Every structure is written in structure tokens, then in C-alpha cells.
Amino acid sequence: MKALDLLSSLVVKGRYAIIVIVVLAFLLASYNTQNIQMNQGYETYFSKDYKEYQQYTLFSKKFGGGVASIFVFIKGDDVVNYETFDFALKLGREISKVDGIGRVKSPAHTVVNVLGYLPADENKLKEIAYEYGAFYIPKKSLMLMEFEVTADESQYNRIAKEVEERIAELNPPPGVTVEATGNPMIRYQIEESIGQSMRVMGGVAVLLMVITLVVVFRGVVEHKKYLLLPLLVSILTATLAFGLMPLLGIPLTEVTNAIAPILIGLSIEYAAQFMGRYEEERRKGLSVVEASVISIKSVGLALSLAMITTVIGFLSMVFSGVPALGWFGIVSAIGLVIAYLLSITLLPAIMLTTDRSERKRREEEGVPLTERLLDTASLLSARHYKIVLLATLIITSASYFGYSKVPLQTDFMKYVPQDLPAMRKFNELQSLVGSQDRIIAVFQIDSFDPDTIKEFEELASYVLNSEQNIIDYSSLGKILKMQFGSIPETSYELEKELARIGDDRVSSYLSGSSYAIYFTVAPMDWLEFRDLYERVTREIKFYGSDSPFFLTGDVVLKMFVADIIVNGQNKMTLASFALVFMLLLFVYRSPRKAIVPIIPITVVILVNGGLMYVLGYSRTLVTASLNSLTIGLGIDFSIHVMERYFEERRRGLSPERAVEITITNIGKPILTSGLTMAGGFAAMLASPFPIMSDFGVVSLMAILLSLLAALTVVPAFLVFTDNLNKTEKVKSGEEA
């Protein structure tokens, strides 16, 4: 309390300095937001010391083209003709000039490789094309071209942009269209969507905040010129937080682009709580200075606890092990600290500077709907607390089943906007050619000769025949057998045939002392794949190869992301609960006061999980943070209710009356902050990213449930424990 006394004194004396400092900080932050970098992909999901990610990175550097490809769709009425094939060859030459593009595969290139030229006789062209390149002609109206990408992920955007430019420079034959897809193209288009998504969500969040403040908060502030002050705080908060991102080295990703609407929604809570208490004190006839000082002191403790617990919830995301979630948590936590400081410094400074009018006591002009709802909540919680607690227990128990059954979504392609041109083509590609998921076995070899290739061919065949979920494999030995009929017997012959295959193709399988085999796997969920991954590891060891090896590939990393989601969620949840409980216990020195805010949040987490299961939502990288986020956000409401309840009890009011006064006086600010907070998350529904829009829905449910629990379960539990203590005291008195 001494700190709050000192702060209130500083605010009264330094009101003008505070305003000037905030304005300067806002201008600097606005300028610095131009330096925010964008990032995406596996490096935002895995820490650099994660072993499996290191193996994937090592494989990417060594083999390059085995990691990603760009697919070009050439469509027309009938593309298997000389003119279209000649265009494909020209397109291949142009795109091959892009630094980072390796081998080109297409039916046109296959025909040239077989015959040495492109035949003008279209019957002969069709015969060779369908015999040797049928995979790249899934139907006569479509030809596929595959360009292997040899550069690492950091070059994908540049490569994709250059590929688009070179496609645009060439004029296809009449009636023929050309479009590109593949991981680099998708990443490039995703990055463009991230900035657009953030602007859309930010705009929607501001609009929802304005609507909520006008509808709900107008009953709290008497002078409408102050109606949007909480929104000012939230916009300042978001800008200052984003301005710090470049200084902290935090990029904008699919996850961190949601920070703006979230901060806009969360920041209003602190401002709404201060403004609610300030207006309450002014209506009592107190001066601006008195009302400001009392508001800072009375709301300051609750706001401090609410801020710290929410910060703990966000910072617990660091325990997830996912860099993108850690960045999200850090920037959000910093933003909340900024919002807290602005609410108890800038807002009173503005009021001290501009508020010159008197407040009038409200005259009864009918009871608004919100007040009737709050009165109902207070009566229900105070007088029928046993029914409230029993109903809560039943609902929570039923929800636990659903919470434990919520599925996981580890397909990153489902996280991104499905209407991106490259994404639509990617989905079409999958429907045409089937599964492209591959487990890549990378072996360390001491020497490379025909015997080595034969040994690995036998191993690959053994694994293929042992596992029904492995549908094919690709290896250097298999290419040699397909192209030349057999594997050479001597090293001299091997070198000659590898030269005929081409270095760019060989490098996909052989790099220095590393040899790769690509196993194509059937589509399956992550649990089934984890079993397959473990079985393949055992099969290779059982076969008896002496070469050290590891398994990698996109689908392998997706499996480890699923593990991170599950384990990370558990770590974040336990860390949040433990840290929040210890904080409350330290502050209140009372197990009862420490446990009260945690009970409704536990209920909310389980009930929200049950709703996710019923409504068909999945856990993703982002929704994995929902538990710790709910603990951090939802506990705010409970703390505000509990603080005011104990304040009224210290005045001598009965538990029932204390609940009624508490809900009546702070219910509307809590309702305002809860609805504005919900509005911030609801703004994510406007995001084109499914991962963000789904997160918006489940977060919205969690906030509304937290709000409901704070206004019903918390007061009911407080009355229950107070009456229980009273009964125990009476019994102990009788026994004495």
C-alpha cells in the first residue's frame, strides 16, 4: 500500500510530465514498428537445440532438394502436345536460372532425356510421355512440373517471388494457364497474408471495443467525453508493445500477429476498472484529486494482482518449448505491464488535467437490463450458493470427459488460409498424386561403392515389406535399377552411371558421407505415425545395419510438434497454476484467499475443453496455450470480486449482503472489461488464418465462462466458506 500511496502522490504532482512522456514514447514506438521482421516455418516451432530439428536442418543443408519442391500446374484442353511441351522446356530453363532451384522434372524433360530431343510427331511424343512421365500427367488437361529447391528456408520467399516473376514473363500457348504451388510458394503468400491479417484483426478489435464501450460503459461514466478513454489506453498499449518487438528480436509470425487484437481487448480491463472506481468516488461528491488518489489506492492492489497473474499466464508459454508461443507470451506480458502502468498513471493524469465538472447522484429511471442481470447473479450466488456449487460440480465432471478427448491438429497446412492461390493448388496436387508424406532415413557411411548401395536396397525393401503403412520408397539404388536395369558391379561403372543420372539428382540421395532413403507413408494421425516412426526405427536396427542413422522429414517434425503441443500444454498449465497459487499465498497469507480464484478457473478450463470437444475444435499450437491463458485472464475477474467482497466484509456486512454490494458496484466494470476482452479475441474471427480464428472462438468461450464464473461461482464459494467457518466457530463454542 505504501507503494500505491507514493504512486498516487507522484501522479498528482507530475500529471503533465506523465502525459508528455507517454506521447513521446508513442511516437518512438510508432516509428520502430516499421522495423518488425516477419518469420514463419519450423524455426518458429522448434528451439534451435531441439535434437530432431537439428537433424532436419542438417539434412536440409546436406541434401537440399529432398526438402521442398515448387510444383507448376500447366492446364489446357489437352496439354500433351509439341507446343505445350516446348513451352514447358522454356519455362524450365527460365526458372532454373533462379539461384536455389535444382533439378527440373516434367514429362517434357522426360521425353527429351529419353530421345535426346522433343519430337514434332505428336503420336510419338504422347507415347513416350505417357510411358515414362505418366506421374506428371495425371490427366490430359494437366501437366505438372517439379522444381527441386536446394536452398534453405530463409531463401524461400526470394525464390518464390522470382519464380512468380519468371512465370509472368513467359507467354503460354493460347488456352493454357500456368500456376505455381509448393511449400516455398505457400510460405511467400502466407507472409503477405500475415500483415493483412493483423490489420484486419486490429481494425475489427477497435470497432468491437467502441461498440462495447458505448453499449456497456456508458452507464459507468457520466460524461461521454470519457467514454472511449479505455480504448485510448489499449491502442497506446498495442503500439508500445509492437514498438519493442524489433528491440527484443521478436518477429511477426502466424502466432504473434494475434497480439494486437488481444492487447487491445485486454488493456481495456485495467482502464475500465480504474474508470469505474473513479466515477463511483466522484458521484460521492469527492474532488478530482481525492477520487484519483482513492481509485489508485483501492483499485491498485487488485489491478496489480490481476496484472501479475495474467503476466504469469502469458510468461508460462515460455515453458512450451515453442519459440513462437514464447514470443507471443513475452510480448503479451510486456503489453499488460504497459497497460497496467498507463491505467494507473496516464488515466488519472488525464482526469486531473481535464475533469472540471461535478458529478450527480443517479436518480432511479428504471433498471437497465445489465443491472437486472447483475442483481440476479448476486441473488443467485448469495442466497442459493449451494445450488450454484452443486450445478458447477456436475457440469465440470461431465466436461472432463470431453476435455480429455479433444483431438490434435498437427498439419500446418490446415493452419493457413485455405483460399491462398498456392494453397488451393497444393490441395489439388494432393488429391491428384496422393500422399507426399515421407520418412527420410539418413545414414552415415564410411565408403560408397556398389556393395553399399546393394545393402541399402535390401534394407529399404525389407522395411517396405515389413510395414503396410509404407507404400513406396525412393533411393539411388532404385533409380539405378529403373534406368539401367541393375546396380553396377564395379565402382568404375557406378561412377559412369551416376554421371549419366546427373549430380543434381544424385545429390538428393548422396551427400558426402551421408546416404538418404525416402519412404512414402500413407496418411494417418500423429499417434499412428508415432507408432510407425518407432517401428521403422526398430526395423532398421533389427535389420542389422552398422551405419548410424536418424529419421527426419516434414511428417516427422509434425509428429514432434504434436508431442510439444501435449507436453507443452501440461507444462504451461502446471507452471501457471503453481506460480499463481504461490503469488496469491504470498500476498494474502491465507490458503483460502489463494485457492478461491483458482477454483472457478479450473472449472472454466474443463468446461471449455468439453465445449471444444462437442463443437469439434482441435488443439493446435496456439490453443495449446489456452489453459495458461485462461488462468492468467480469467483469474483477474475473480480477484476483483474477491477483493471487493472482503472490503465489504471488513465493514461488517453479512456474506450475503457483501456479495450483493460487490456485484452491484463492480459488476458493470467487470462486465465491461470482460466483454471488451472478449471483443479483442472475437476480432480474431476475422483472421484468414484458421489457427487464429479457431483460437478466437475457444478463447472467447473461455473469457465468457470466466466472467460467468467470477459473478456466480466465486461469490457462491466465498459465502459457502464464510458460513462454513461460522458453523465451525459455533460448534467449537458449544463444545467449549
Side-chain angles (χ1 to χ4, degrees):
M1 289 300 292
K2 289 183 179 180
L4 293 175
D5 289 338
L6 177 61
L7 178 64
S8 61
S9 177
L10 290 174
V11 170
V12 171
K13 295 177 181 177
R15 64 191 80 167
Y16 299 110
I18 290 171
I19 294 173
V20 171
I21 290 171
V22 171
V23 170
L24 291 175
F26 172 76
L27 294 175
L28 287 172
S30 299
Y31 175 78
N32 207 35
T33 55
Q34 302 174 44
N35 299 319
I36 296 177
Q37 301 295 315
M38 290 191 181
N39 203 353
Q40 55 176 303
Y42 287 125
E43 62 187 88
T44 68
Y45 301 144
F46 292 95
S47 61
K48 291 182 179 179
D49 58 351
Y50 199 92
K51 184 182 75 173
E52 287 73 19
Y53 178 63
Q54 288 179 334
Q55 291 173 341
Y56 179 84
T57 303
L58 176 64
F59 169 76
S60 301
K61 289 179 178 178
K62 280 180 171 287
F63 294 91
V67 177
S69 293
I70 290 176
F71 290 88
V72 173
F73 283 55
I74 299 178
K75 287 186 173 183
D77 293 333
D78 185 352
V79 296
V80 188
N81 57 66
Y82 180 88
E83 188 178 16
T84 308
F85 272 42
D86 185 55
F87 170 76
L89 293 174
K90 292 177 182 176
L91 185 61
R93 286 193 293 271
E94 283 301 311
I95 294 181
S96 294
K97 296 175 183 177
V98 176
D99 186 26
I101 293 292
R103 184 168 180 252
V104 183
K105 290 180 270 187
S106 79
H109 289 78
T110 299
V111 170
V112 171
N113 288 337
V114 172
L115 298 178
Y117 65 96
L118 187 65
D121 182 345
E122 293 199 354
N123 289 329
K124 187 174 185 178
L125 184 148
K126 289 179 185 288
E127 179 185 346
I128 301 297
Y130 280 116
E131 182 178 355
Y132 293 98
F135 177 82
Y136 291 99
I137 317 172
K139 49 188 177 181
K140 72 173 187 176
S141 60
L142 173 63
M143 180 202 307
L144 294 175
M145 297 184 69
E146 181 180 358
F147 297 85
E148 292 182 346
V149 179
T150 58
D152 59 38
E153 288 184 320
S154 64
Q155 301 297 313
Y156 281 5
N157 285 355
R158 175 190 58 79
I159 291 171
K161 186 176 180 180
E162 289 188 38
V163 167
E164 281 191 350
E165 290 172 350
R166 293 181 185 270
I167 289 175
E169 288 171 358
L170 285 180
N171 294 320
V176 173
T177 59
V178 183
E179 294 178 284
T181 187
N183 193 29
M185 308 303 296
I186 294 171
R187 281 173 58 102
Y188 173 59
Q189 293 179 13
I190 286 174
E191 185 164 302
E192 292 185 328
S193 295
I194 288 175
Q196 180 185 357
S197 171
M198 188 176 68
R199 289 190 294 271
V200 170
M201 288 191 294
V204 172
V206 171
L207 178 62
L208 290 174
M209 297 305 101
V210 171
I211 294 172
T212 305
L213 289 171
V214 170
V215 173
V216 181
F217 205 53
R218 63 189 306 167
V220 176
V221 296
E222 185 169 321
H223 294 285
K224 304 314 174 200
K225 65 180 179 180
Y226 298 128
L227 191 61
L228 298 182
L229 268 184
L231 181 58
L232 171 64
V233 169
S234 67
I235 292 174
L236 288 171
T237 297
T239 304
L240 293 172
F242 270 92
L244 289 172
M245 286 177 64
L247 299 178
L248 299 173
I250 294 176
L252 198 60
T253 69
E254 301 101 313
V255 177
T256 55
N257 87 96
I259 291 173
I262 289 176
L263 285 182
I264 288 173
L266 296 182
S267 304
I268 286 184
E269 180 196 359
Y270 304 138
Q273 291 297 331
F274 172 82
M275 291 296 294
R277 188 58 181 257
Y278 175 83
E279 291 289 333
E280 180 184 337
E281 298 302 328
R282 288 284 279 138
R283 279 192 288 270
K284 293 178 181 177
L286 298 182
S287 67
V288 175
V289 173
E290 291 171 330
S292 298
V293 170
I294 290 175
S295 298
I296 292 172
K297 292 179 180 179
S298 60
V299 178
L301 178 59
L303 282 183
S304 299
L305 287 175
M307 181 270 294
I308 294 172
T309 53
T310 309
V311 165
I312 287 173
F314 276 112
L315 289 182
S316 68
M317 294 182 190
V318 175
F319 293 100
S320 69
V322 180
L325 276 183
W327 299 331
F328 177 80
I330 290 170
V331 177
S332 298
I334 291 172
L336 291 176
V337 174
I338 293 171
Y340 164 78
L341 293 174
L342 291 177
S343 297
I344 60 174
T345 57
L346 179 64
L347 278 185
I350 291 174
M351 302 311 292
L352 287 163
T353 305
T354 64
D355 190 4
R356 296 289 181 266
S357 58
E358 296 297 325
R359 298 294 192 273
K360 298 178 181 178
R361 292 184 179 274
R362 286 187 193 169
E363 297 179 3
E364 294 297 327
E365 300 178 352
V367 183
L369 175 61
T370 52
E371 292 189 10
R372 292 202 300 271
L373 292 174
L374 292 172
D375 288 341
T376 301
S378 66
L379 290 172
L380 184 66
S381 304
R383 300 179 187 179
H384 305 287
Y385 62 89
K386 292 181 180 178
I387 296 175
V388 171
L389 295 178
L390 179 61
T392 299
L393 181 61
I394 294 171
I395 294 172
T396 305
S397 301
S399 298
Y400 177 76
F401 172 80
Y403 175 83
S404 62
K405 298 292 183 180
V406 177
L408 293 178
Q409 177 56 270
T410 59
D411 185 352
F412 301 143
M413 292 304 179
K414 300 296 183 184
Y415 287 6
V416 304
Q418 298 299 295
D419 60 349
L420 293 176
M423 194 66 239
R424 289 201 305 268
K425 289 299 165 189
F426 182 81
N427 291 331
E428 183 180 348
L429 177 67
Q430 284 194 317
S431 68
L432 289 170
V433 302
S435 172
Q436 295 297 298
D437 288 339
R438 295 180 295 182
I439 296 178
I440 305 167
V442 181
F443 298 87
Q444 290 298 114
I445 55 177
D446 295 326
S447 60
F448 183 72
D449 52 37
D451 290 337
T452 303
I453 295 182
K454 289 177 182 178
E455 177 188 343
F456 283 121
E457 273 307 284
E458 291 173 0
L459 185 153
S461 298
Y462 170 76
V463 174
L464 176 66
N465 295 326
S466 300
E467 292 294 338
Q468 62 179 6
N469 285 321
I470 292 181
I471 57 181
D472 197 4
Y473 78 90
S474 176
S475 67
L476 199 54
K478 189 174 183 178
I479 292 173
L480 287 167
K481 287 191 291 184
M482 289 178 63
Q483 194 156 335
F484 305 110
S486 64
I487 297 173
E489 294 296 329
T490 67
S491 296
Y492 174 74
E493 292 175 342
L494 177 61
E495 287 183 16
K496 285 179 61 178
E497 294 189 358
L498 290 180
R500 291 173 63 188
I501 293 173
D503 289 343
D504 57 344
R505 195 174 183 188
V506 171
S507 65
S508 295
Y509 302 91
L510 179 65
S511 177
S513 60
S514 297
Y515 184 83
I517 302 174
Y518 300 77
F519 294 99
T520 303
V521 300
M524 64 191 75
D525 66 32
W526 78 278
L527 288 172
E528 292 173 323
F529 182 80
R530 185 170 65 182
D531 292 338
L532 175 63
Y533 174 87
E534 293 172 353
R535 290 199 306 271
V536 169
T537 302
R538 290 196 300 269
E539 296 288 0
I540 293 175
K541 290 179 178 178
F542 179 76
Y543 179 80
S545 173
D546 295 328
S547 302
F549 72 95
F550 62 83
L551 303 181
T552 190
D554 282 343
V555 70
V556 173
L557 286 194
K558 290 175 185 177
M559 177 196 71
F560 284 107
V561 168
D563 280 336
I564 288 174
I565 291 175
V566 175
N567 296 329
Q569 184 175 43
N570 293 336
K571 290 177 183 177
M572 288 187 287
T573 303
L574 291 174
S576 297
F577 270 127
L579 292 172
V580 167
F581 178 76
M582 287 189 291
L583 171 69
L584 295 177
L585 189 63
F586 173 78
V587 172
Y588 289 120
R589 301 290 197 276
S590 165
R592 177 198 174 199
K593 291 183 178 181
I595 202 69
V596 167
I598 291 177
I599 289 174
I601 295 307
T602 306
V603 170
V604 168
I605 287 173
L606 294 176
V607 173
N608 202 49
L611 287 174
M612 286 179 65
Y613 175 72
V614 170
L615 297 175
Y617 285 95
S618 300
R619 274 185 288 178
T620 65
L621 263 177
V622 182
T623 57
S625 66
L626 188 62
N627 288 356
S628 56
L629 194 62
T630 302
I631 293 169
L633 298 178
I635 213 164
D636 290 11
F637 306 137
S638 300
I639 288 174
H640 286 303
V641 170
M642 187 176 71
E643 277 292 306
R644 186 58 182 259
Y645 173 84
F646 288 130
E647 182 181 330
E648 300 302 330
R649 287 285 283 140
R650 286 192 293 270
R651 294 176 180 172
L653 297 181
S654 66
E656 291 78 8
R657 184 58 182 159
V659 166
E660 293 175 11
I661 295 295
T662 296
I663 302 300
T664 300
N665 282 281
I666 70 167
K668 189 165 285 187
I670 285 181
L671 194 61
T672 301
S673 59
L675 292 178
T676 51
M677 186 187 298
F681 283 90
M684 286 189 284
L685 297 176
S687 173
F689 288 82
I691 188 176
M692 286 293 106
S693 57
D694 288 355
F695 183 56
V697 172
V698 296
S699 300
L700 183 61
M701 293 191 302
I703 292 168
L704 295 178
L705 287 171
S706 300
L707 187 61
L708 179 63
L711 296 175
T712 56
V713 178
V714 171
F717 189 77
L718 288 169
V719 173
F720 171 73
T721 53
D722 260 345
N723 288 336
L724 187 65
N725 288 337
K726 188 189 299 183
T727 302
E728 290 177 352
K729 287 180 181 178
V730 170
K731 286 183 178 179
S732 61
E734 290 175 353
E735 290 174 1

